[in-house]
Structures are given as structure tokens and as C-alpha cells.
Amino acid sequence: MAMAAARPRLLLLLAAAAAALLLTPAHAFYLPGSYPHKYAPGEPLSVKVNSLTSIDTEIPYSYYSLPFCAPPEGVKDSAENLGELLMGDRIESSPYRFKMHANESDVLLCRSAPLSPPDFALLKRRIDEMYQVNLILDNLPAIRYTRKDDYFLRWTGYPVGIRVGVDYYVFNHLQFTVLVHRYEDPNVARVMGAAGDASDGAAVPANAGKDASAAPGWMVVGFEVVPCSIKHNPEDARAVKMYGKFPSKIKCDPSTVSMSIKENEPIVYTYEVSFVESDIKWPSRWDAYLKMEGAKVHWFSILNSLMVIAFLAGIVFVILLRTVRRDLTRYEELDSEAQAQMNEELSGWKLVVSDVFRAPSNPMLLCMMVGDGVQILGMAVVTILFAALGFMSPASRGTLITGMLFFYLVLGILAGYASVRVWKTIRCGDHSGWVGVSWRTACFFPGIAFLILTTLNFLLWGSQSTGAIPFSLFVVLILLWFCISVPLTLVGGFLGAKAPHIEYPVRTNQIPREIPAQKYPSWLLVLGAGTLPFGTLFIELFFIMSSIWMGRVYYVFGFLFIVMLLLVIVCAEVSLVLTYMHLCVEDWKWWWKSFFSSGSVAIYIFLYSINYLVFDLKSLSGPVSATLYLGYSLFMVIAIMLATGTVGFISSFCFVHYLFSSVKAD
């Protein structure tokens, strides 16, 4: 019965999504997971607060860690998903109260207690560190516009205060502008009502469409704030209750500041709100947040990078094919006696035929890294693909991190399969020890991540930041890893042990061949090979880093997906070419070099991260903030090294197997 009842609900949801897509203009898009909420005139609107953030420290703090006004009914936490908790978001109720389409002015919020010396010192420090207050209305962050020359800059949130000389000023008056659009599309509303989906979990009756067309309603399509610093007389606020009319007229002028903070003196907080009808439709309400500065340069730079790298990779690939094909054709046209004579006369990859598949040093570590690389690469591909399709939109906070974690856990089965399959191939079909390989694969990268994140978490705990992962969440993450990822990795390892191993096309001699002395160290060439994959990524990397550390919204996942595919292709080709070059100089130790020839791109990404820290995050202050930045960057580059190195190893293995399967050898 439950399944039968669920089917019509699913069909109705699909119909609602299809109707929304059909009715969306070409310049807008409908964000999956977000639905329009209809507000009747006079219906209460609640503003929520998120953590205080700063690009100066990158350490978030709770909104109520500063002496701000609290709601009369007490502070209530909003439900947060796993991704929001990991990102340091702490969404709580706020004292700001609006009524739909009801303009209000000169509203008293509260008169704070006199600033104690610790509160006074903390408020000054947060102003020096450029902390921003982040407000949310109907899932829209408050946006602030500032004028610079002939254009406007967009910011999310507003600063706690500003320092002028030796004086500190706090923004104690907020001028809100709520952009609203008349509710429309009753057909979509009727479908969603029948499906029982509505904002904040409120069920919509099945006949809501008929009522919606008759009753007036509004949708919130914009939320803007202008902070002002106004000197209020604290005595005027004594006789006025919260949300009452302030005795004197308040004029908000953002170009001047007058509310300087002083020790043992209270702060009076006020606000005003106005509702403005807008032509912005519901699907387009996130456009103001998703507009990136220099968009044309962004698109042109990525396209230019793609064309150049694709052209260079194509040339390398064609040269390689012609060279290998010529060598193979000459070799196969000779009879066995002439081949033996040719082997004595010629040098190159044909002379390492009996050593090329000799087991590498530390084979278990290589299998573990390849398995984890497959898992990370699979997670990245699936996550970016879902994000490009709109299922992980910025309107759904935390879904990107939650999705990445979910896909990583589930794809543990690929990690186990790949690591054990490589292990079995290296051992020529002997799968003994596959349980140990699977277990070590399940623990290798998560263990590194746990070590780095625990160290950084202690720093955040010491700073009393909301970015610190709670102990209970640590327990949840460990249980998710132990109960989902580890069993799936063992299952994948079992499947890999049962799968047939890849047979080598040639036999390996018992005595290894001596590698001739090289003019240049081979590892120097391996480390330099990472520059070409880095060239496909560095432009997009700037926007990703700006999104992470500068608080900007990243949304061009379609281009990121294309860049990632190109990165995979270039990593495969670079590793393939390097492997061929090593074989040509009779260096048969290609296993690890094929992994690091493409994985070395992580070194350049880490160097770029340091460059970004020095030149783009100049204001980053304190050893704790720098340690957090470098720690997260190290975590990121290790994951990239495993993923790109795995691509290079798999491509080189396939190439070597194909190359020597074409050789006639006794």
C-alpha cells in the first residue's frame, strides 16, 4: 500500500518539476530542492542568523558571541544538515520580525547591557578582523551593495563595524529592503499541494490551486540590507518596548558613522524594513548572488585554456602513435633470426621486454593509493555532474559537502575492487592477502584526512569557533566510515579477488636487467610533467579558491566538469608519454613513475595555494588562520594527487600492456 501511494506522489512531483522547467525563462533556472513559498499580506516573516565570518581569519564564530540583541523567546537552532555542520554554519533564530508587505520604520530592537570590558575588547577585535554578519530570509542571504566609481559591488552580509582612527563604530541600525513578486503559476502550486510539498514542511491542501488564484500572495525574491551607524540616546529607549516605535526619527545615511562604542555604555539597536514589488521571478531570485565579476574573462580564459591544452595533447598523442606504430611495424616485419640480431643492435623499450612487468617496490602501498584514487575520482565525477545538473545548488546549503561525503562512502566498493585487482595482477593471479589490502585501502586516505582534520579541529576548539566539528559529529563520521565505507571496500575487495587477473603478455626474467646510467635524473622529468595538467586547471582553480576563502558563490559546475574531463585526458597522456620515454632509455621501473608523473600536479597546486595565500589573502592574520589554510590545502592536494596519479597509472599500464602484447618474444 505504501508503494502504491508513493507512486502517484512521485508522478506528481515529476510533473511539478517538468512544469517548472517549461515555465522557466531561458535566462533563469529552477533550483531543485527549493520551492516557492506564498506569503499572505501581514503574514510573519522570520529572519535567521548564520555564523559570523571573516576573510581576514577564516574562523567562523557564533552570532550571539557578540553583544547583539536576542529574540524574546530565546535563541533557537535551525535544523542543519551534515554539510552545514562541516562547513561551520550555525543557523539560529534572530530578533528581527517582519510582516509581509508591511513597511515599518524607526523600530526599536533592544537596548543592550552596558559593555563589559571583555565584551568591549571582543567587539573591537571582531571589527579589526573585519567580521561580517550573515542574515537569511526565506533561504536568501542578505545582500549589500556598495558603489565604487561607476559600478556596484555585491557583498553578502554586512560588517559588524568599522574603525576610524582610534575610534570604533558599530552598525546598530539596519535598513532592510525585501523584494517581493506576486505569487503566480497556480497550476504548479496545485500539483505541489497535491504532492504535499511546501516550505518549512507545511502541507498544502489538494485544492490549493483554486484558493491560490483567488487569495493574494507574495513570494520573496530579494533581501537587501544597508547598515548604518547612528548615535541613539540610550535614555530614549528605556520607556519603549521591543519592536516599539523609537521616539526620534531615524535617518539612515551609510556614508557617515556616529555610534562609537565605549566601555560600560549600552548600544541601542534599531531597524526599518520596506517591501518593494519586483519583476524578478522566483527561478531568477538567485541571479544576484551567482553573478561573478569579470564573467566574460572567466569564460574566455577557460575556453582558451581548454583549446590550447587540447591542441598540445593532440600533437603529443599523434607523435606517440606514429612513433610506436613505426617501431612495431619494423619489428614485426623481421623474421626471428633478424629480430634477435636487431635486439643486439638496437636499444630502447624492446630490450626491457623481460623486465617491464617486474613487480614494483612497495606493491601494497601502490595498490592502496590506486584504490583510494579511484574512489576519490569517482566521487568527484559524480558530485560535479550532479552539481552541474542543479541538484546541489547554493540554495540548498550544505548539500555539496553532504553529497561528496555520501558518494565517497558508497564508492568504497570501487576502491576495494581496484586495489585488490591491481594486487592480484602484480602477484600474477595470487589473491592471498586481499583482505589486508582492502582494509588498508579503506584506512589509508580516511586516516590521513582524520589526522589533518583532527589537528585543525583542536585549533578551532581552542579558538571557540563554530567551525570546529562537534565531538558528536566526529562519532557520527567514524560510524559512517566504519559501518558503510569499510564493509563496501571489503565487498569490493572480494569481487576483485574473484575477478580474473590481467595476464602479462610477456614473461619476466628472474634476474633483473641493469638500468643504464641516465644523463638526467628520471624523477626530475617526472616532477616537471605536472606542469601540463596544471595548465588545464589553474584558471578554474582561482575561482574555486575564491569561492572557498573569499566567500564567493561558485556555480559554474558545467565548465568545471569539462575542465575535469580534460584534466583526466591530459594526465593520462602525460603519464603515457613519460612512461614511453623511460622505456626508451631502458628504464623498466615505470610503475611508480607513471603514478607520480601525473600526480605531481598536486605539487604545483600546493605551490599555487601558497601563492594565493601570499598575494590574494594578504589580510589573513594570525598563525592559527594560516595553519588552517595550509592544512586544508594539504588535504586537498593529497586527494588530487591520488586521483590524478591513479589516472596516470591506469593509462600507462594499459599502454604498456598493449605495447608489449604486440611484440613477438620467446
Side-chain angles (χ1 to χ4, degrees):
M1 292 294 292
M3 288 294 294
R7 284 173 186 163
R9 290 167 57 87
L10 179 60
L11 290 174
L12 288 170
L13 281 173
L14 292 174
L21 288 172
L22 289 173
L23 294 169
T24 299
H27 60 275
F29 57 92
Y30 189 83
L31 294 170
S34 61
Y35 302 98
H37 188 127
K38 172 190 171 185
Y39 293 96
E43 185 175 346
L45 299 173
S46 59
V47 179
K48 298 178 181 179
V49 293
N50 204 343
S51 300
L52 303 173
T53 56
S54 169
I55 61 173
D56 195 35
T57 65
E58 302 295 347
I59 303 176
Y61 290 100
S62 170
Y63 174 83
Y64 293 104
S65 62
L66 293 182
F68 291 136
C69 304
E73 67 277 7
V75 179
K76 297 179 181 178
D77 292 333
S78 296
E80 293 159 337
N81 58 41
L82 189 61
E84 288 177 305
L85 292 172
L86 290 174
M87 290 296 292
D89 288 342
R90 294 296 183 272
I91 301 176
E92 301 167 304
S93 60
S94 81
Y96 296 100
R97 298 288 185 270
F98 306 155
K99 291 183 180 179
M100 174 54 74
H101 232 294
N103 297 341
E104 297 179 277
S105 60
D106 309 332
V107 181
L108 173 68
L109 197 59
C110 77
R111 176 182 182 269
S112 72
L115 291 178
S116 62
D119 285 343
F120 177 68
L122 181 63
L123 193 56
K124 289 199 303 180
R125 190 184 320 135
R126 295 291 178 261
I127 293 174
D128 281 334
E129 293 170 339
M130 300 172 61
Y131 269 86
Q132 302 277 320
V133 179
N134 299 292
L135 304 177
I136 302 170
L137 175 64
D138 195 41
N139 204 33
L140 282 179
I143 194 169
R144 174 173 58 95
Y145 292 94
T146 56
R147 187 179 183 89
K148 184 176 182 180
D149 298 331
D150 295 331
Y151 57 93
F152 287 94
L153 298 176
R154 293 177 295 275
W155 310 85
T156 53
Y158 67 91
V160 172
I162 189 173
R163 179 180 178 179
V164 180
V166 296
D167 295 325
Y168 291 84
Y169 297 87
V170 67
F171 291 113
N172 61 329
H173 179 81
L174 299 180
Q175 184 183 71
F176 295 107
T177 302
V178 181
L179 305 180
V180 294
H181 187 80
R182 186 176 295 275
Y183 189 83
E184 51 191 21
D185 294 337
N187 293 327
V188 176
R190 187 183 300 115
V191 173
M192 290 194 301
D197 288 319
S199 179
D200 299 330
V204 181
N207 60 352
K210 189 177 296 183
D211 297 337
S213 60
W218 302 90
M219 299 178 295
V220 177
V221 294
F223 184 37
E224 301 173 3
V225 62
V226 177
C228 295
S229 177
I230 300 177
K231 181 68 174 178
H232 294 308
N233 186 354
E235 298 303 321
D236 293 344
R238 284 186 177 274
V240 183
K241 294 183 179 180
M242 194 173 190
Y243 305 118
K245 191 81 170 178
F246 197 72
S248 57
K249 184 67 177 175
I250 302 174
K251 184 178 180 181
C252 180
D253 183 6
S255 61
T256 60
V257 291
S258 58
M259 183 59 213
S260 60
I261 57 173
K262 292 182 174 58
E263 194 173 322
N264 297 320
E265 289 189 7
I267 301 175
V268 177
Y269 292 94
T270 56
Y271 72 92
E272 60 185 280
V273 58
S274 60
F275 290 81
V276 178
E277 293 187 31
S278 173
D279 293 332
I280 300 173
K281 296 185 182 296
W282 169 269
S284 306
R285 69 177 195 156
W286 274 86
D287 286 1
Y289 303 88
L290 302 182
K291 290 178 181 177
M292 301 181 71
E293 302 300 332
K296 292 183 179 180
V297 176
H298 174 77
W299 300 107
F300 176 77
S301 299
I302 294 178
L303 184 60
N304 181 64
S305 177
L306 293 175
M307 293 176 64
V308 171
I309 297 301
F311 178 71
L312 292 176
I315 292 177
V316 171
F317 194 62
V318 169
I319 292 174
L320 180 62
L321 280 181
R322 293 186 60 184
T323 304
V324 173
R325 183 169 296 176
R326 185 178 65 248
D327 286 350
L328 283 176
T329 302
R330 288 181 58 196
Y331 194 79
E332 291 176 351
E333 287 177 351
L334 302 174
D335 55 20
S336 58
E337 185 176 341
Q339 286 179 14
Q341 183 180 358
M342 182 179 177
N343 286 339
E344 294 177 359
E345 295 175 355
L346 298 181
S347 62
W349 59 270
K350 295 171 287 297
L351 297 182
V352 296
V353 64
S354 299
D355 296 273
V356 69
F357 289 108
R358 191 176 301 280
S361 58
N362 300 314
M364 183 171 288
L365 178 60
L366 178 63
C367 296
M368 290 158 45
M369 296 176 73
V370 169
D372 281 327
V374 169
Q375 187 177 10
I376 294 169
L377 183 63
M379 174 206 69
V381 170
V382 176
T383 303
I384 295 175
L385 181 60
F386 271 78
L389 295 175
F391 291 100
M392 297 177 183
S393 66
S396 303
R397 268 179 296 273
T399 54
L400 187 64
I401 300 297
T402 305
M404 290 176 64
L405 185 61
F406 171 77
F407 292 132
Y408 179 81
L409 294 173
V410 172
L411 292 175
I413 191 169
L414 289 182
Y417 180 83
S419 59
V420 173
R421 189 85 187 274
V422 175
W423 172 257
K424 188 176 179 180
T425 298
I426 291 175
R427 294 169 63 89
C428 300
D430 181 12
H431 66 269
S432 59
W434 70 267
V435 176
V437 174
S438 301
W439 171 252
R440 287 175 174 85
T441 301
C443 298
F444 181 68
F445 180 70
I448 295 175
F450 182 81
L451 181 64
I452 294 176
L453 296 180
T454 302
T455 304
L456 299 181
N457 213 51
F458 277 118
L459 295 176
L460 292 171
W461 271 337
S463 303
Q464 297 180 341
S465 168
T466 60
I469 302 175
F471 179 76
S472 58
L473 184 57
F474 251 115
V475 175
V476 170
L477 292 175
I478 293 175
L479 289 176
L480 287 173
W481 166 75
F482 191 76
C483 298
I484 298 178
S485 183
V486 172
L488 286 177
T489 306
L490 292 174
V491 170
F494 175 78
L495 297 176
K498 293 298 181 183
H501 73 284
I502 303 173
E503 295 186 3
Y504 295 147
V506 293
R507 293 197 305 266
T508 302
N509 288 343
Q510 292 184 351
I511 301 176
R513 179 185 179 87
E514 183 179 356
I515 300 175
Q518 307 296 327
K519 188 175 182 180
Y520 300 103
S522 59
W523 283 102
L524 189 63
L525 190 60
V526 168
L527 295 178
T531 54
L532 190 58
F534 179 73
T536 68
L537 190 65
F538 81 98
I539 295 177
E540 199 66 27
L541 194 62
F542 170 78
F543 293 96
I544 296 173
M545 299 285 279
S546 299
S547 171
I548 296 174
W549 302 109
M550 303 292 286
R552 299 173 184 171
V553 179
Y554 186 87
Y555 73 100
V556 284
F557 291 103
F559 264 85
L560 180 60
F561 187 73
I562 296 173
V563 169
M564 188 186 65
L565 291 180
L566 189 63
L567 175 66
V568 169
I569 295 172
V570 173
C571 284
E573 293 177 345
V574 164
S575 179
L576 187 148
V577 172
L578 263 291
T579 300
Y580 179 71
M581 293 175 63
H582 283 112
L583 294 178
C584 284
V585 294
E586 303 177 38
D587 185 355
W588 47 265
K589 294 183 178 180
W590 60 270
W591 299 77
W592 281 107
K593 292 170 184 174
S594 68
F595 187 95
F596 285 111
S597 60
S598 56
S600 60
V601 66
I603 298 175
Y604 298 97
I605 293 177
F606 190 71
L607 293 176
Y608 180 84
S609 301
I610 297 176
N611 173 80
Y612 190 86
L613 171 64
V614 174
F615 295 102
D616 292 275
L617 293 178
K618 298 177 182 178
S619 60
L620 197 67
S621 61
V624 174
S625 300
T627 305
L628 287 172
Y629 175 85
L630 293 176
Y632 287 127
S633 299
L634 179 63
F635 172 72
M636 178 182 68
V637 299
I638 290 175
I640 293 174
M641 180 201 70
L642 293 174
T644 55
T646 297
V647 171
F649 170 78
I650 293 175
S651 66
S652 292
F653 182 86
C654 294
F655 168 72
V656 172
H657 190 277
Y658 167 76
L659 180 62
F660 285 91
S661 64
S662 305
V663 174
K664 300 174 186 176
D666 293 331

